[in-house]
Amino acid sequence: MKSSPVRIHSDIQRRIDSYTDLIPVELHAFWAKADTQFVHGRLVSSNVIAYPTYWYSPSTRHQLGFWTFNGSEQLPQGEAVQETTLLSLLDDVTAELATRIITSLKDNQLHLGFTVNLNIKRTDCSPSARTFYFDAYATKLTTRKTVVECPLYDAESGKLLLTACATFVFFPLSDAADKVKNTSEESDSVVYEPPSPLLDEADALALDNSDLHNLSQVMNILPHGLITHKTGSFSPSKRRIVVLADFDKELDGPPNHVHGGLLATVLYNASELLFAKTTGISRTSCAAAVRDTNYLKGVPSESRNILIDAAVEDTSDSGVVVSAKLMHGSKVCTTLRTTFAIPTLTSKL
């Protein structure tokens, strides 16, 4: 790669120049492009981000590139790109690299892959950043399991912001087709009635319209209400929140299933609200040091009555751990364990 499409920090340019065999690759090269896909339809086609620039090094099996966010009504000048948006893109690009690698292995059958874990650690923040650089690479590789790490930088300052570690499992396409079929049949046959009341505690308080409205603004770069949070309850004594939500269309990751980054975001938003209510710290001051997401089962597109359940697991002087789960019917589909850092208070006397 001779030069980048944006102004970038010299340290990042040196990293790029160290590769000798970079070739340009297409976004979602191994997946059918569709406007129902969250990243393609909601971010790229809607011009929230410029068409991503990706390169691949066959000798090192690294995939690197840039995401540049455009100024828009959803993301005006001065408003930060949310970490949950970056989390969703990291989920996407690590899955793409894992698929690229497993597809390139010699004498390998056609496989279908699933993300089973995504761990995001926060190193720094850069609220003014609009262009981000990533460099994804495999740390473990077998025919059935791949682990990909991916540091993410503010491309202009060179700051390391987040580090993702994603684990994937792969199945031969014939086996995977049966799994997807069985999941779909099971989903179609389930008639789910949400619990009433949502939270059966003596001190349970209904979430007000403001809380539900804010939760339904899933990311600041998305139209409001793509995932509608209809009702919810909070128990101060149990330090727990339960919310019921409906998913709209055009939010796919895997075909006909909701993007994993969005599932993690919905869980994070509920966890963040619980952290704020429990500690009295404003949501705008919340800082997640670590997010650990486990994907147990896919969530079909346009699902209704999805249950989000978050509870404080542990507290200390330095942080609060919140565990959350997302359920479709009686099945736990996604879990998220978030470690929130307690802001350091400073004052001048």
Side-chain angles (χ1 to χ4, degrees):
M1 182 173 60
K2 300 300 183 184
S3 62
S4 70
V6 294
R7 184 180 66 185
I8 64 171
H9 194 271
S10 57
D11 289 346
I12 290 177
Q13 186 64 59
R14 279 193 289 271
R15 290 190 188 99
I16 296 170
D17 291 341
S18 69
Y19 294 97
T20 60
D21 61 345
L22 289 177
I23 56 175
V25 291
E26 285 288 317
L27 169 71
H28 295 173
F30 297 95
W31 307 327
K33 294 180 178 64
D35 285 336
T36 55
Q37 289 175 342
F38 166 62
V39 171
H40 180 74
R42 293 291 183 182
L43 300 187
V44 178
S45 294
S46 298
N47 204 36
V48 172
I49 60 174
Y51 196 91
T53 308
Y54 288 0
W55 291 270
Y56 179 64
S57 165
S59 64
T60 64
R61 290 176 172 159
H62 280 231
Q63 182 163 310
L64 51 146
F66 295 92
W67 300 317
T68 298
F69 286 77
N70 298 314
S72 64
E73 182 179 344
Q74 286 85 11
L75 192 65
Q77 197 69 27
E79 188 166 343
V81 177
Q82 290 177 309
E83 286 184 6
T84 49
T85 304
L86 300 175
L87 179 155
S88 296
L89 289 168
L90 286 167
D91 176 281
D92 204 75
V93 76
T94 51
E96 189 166 358
L97 176 60
T99 304
R100 179 179 299 280
I101 291 173
I102 202 73
T103 303
S104 69
L105 295 178
K106 291 182 179 180
D107 303 322
N108 194 34
Q109 304 177 60
L110 290 176
H111 281 66
L112 188 62
F114 301 90
T115 307
V116 294
N117 178 265
L118 179 65
N119 182 282
I120 305 284
K121 293 182 179 178
R122 184 175 187 261
T123 303
D124 208 335
C125 62
S126 187
S128 63
R130 282 294 184 274
T131 299
F132 301 87
Y133 169 75
F134 66 85
D135 187 340
Y137 56 94
T139 60
K140 182 175 182 178
L141 177 61
T142 70
T143 56
R144 289 299 180 97
K145 182 178 180 180
T146 302
V147 177
V148 173
E149 289 196 12
C150 185
L152 182 72
Y153 302 84
D154 174 347
E156 293 194 38
S157 71
K159 283 184 182 178
L160 173 63
L161 305 177
L162 303 170
T163 301
C165 181
T167 303
F168 305 85
V169 293
F170 292 89
F171 301 94
L173 201 55
S174 56
D175 294 349
D178 291 337
K179 290 178 184 292
V180 172
K181 179 181 178 183
N182 292 338
T183 299
S184 299
E185 289 175 350
E186 180 182 342
S187 299
D188 292 341
S189 65
V190 171
V191 177
Y192 175 64
E193 292 295 333
S196 181
L198 280 179
L199 194 50
D200 192 11
E201 301 292 344
D203 66 341
L205 305 170
L207 295 183
D208 60 29
N209 288 335
S210 176
D211 286 333
L212 294 172
H213 182 275
N214 290 337
L215 288 173
S216 296
Q217 184 62 64
V218 180
M219 296 177 187
N220 61 357
I221 48 87
L222 295 177
H224 182 271
L226 289 179
I227 302 175
T228 303
H229 293 66
K230 303 184 293 185
T231 184
S233 295
F234 165 58
S235 168
S237 64
K238 296 297 182 181
R239 298 186 298 179
R240 183 179 171 202
I241 276 179
V242 179
V243 185
L244 206 61
D246 291 343
F247 284 71
D248 205 343
K249 58 186 178 180
E250 298 178 12
L251 301 175
D252 288 6
N256 304 314
H257 287 78
V258 179
H259 192 283
L262 285 171
L263 299 177
T265 295
V266 166
L267 287 174
Y268 174 76
N269 290 345
S271 300
E272 184 184 70
L273 177 61
L274 177 60
F275 173 78
K277 286 184 174 294
T278 301
T279 63
I281 296 170
S282 167
R283 287 187 68 187
T284 58
S285 300
C286 294
V290 181
R291 299 176 177 94
D292 192 70
T293 308
N294 289 305
Y295 298 104
L296 309 175
K297 186 178 176 66
V299 176
S301 305
E302 299 184 59
S303 288
R304 300 289 181 263
N305 290 334
I306 294 296
L307 192 76
I308 299 115
D309 188 340
V312 173
E313 176 186 318
D314 191 24
T315 60
S316 68
D317 291 340
S318 59
V320 175
V321 177
V322 177
S323 292
K325 60 184 177 182
L326 184 148
M327 300 181 67
H328 181 236
S330 62
K331 303 293 186 182
V332 177
C333 300
T334 311
T335 66
L336 173 69
R337 189 174 189 267
T338 307
T339 302
F340 290 97
I342 300 292
T344 301
L345 300 179
T346 58
S347 62
K348 294 182 178 180
L349 299 180

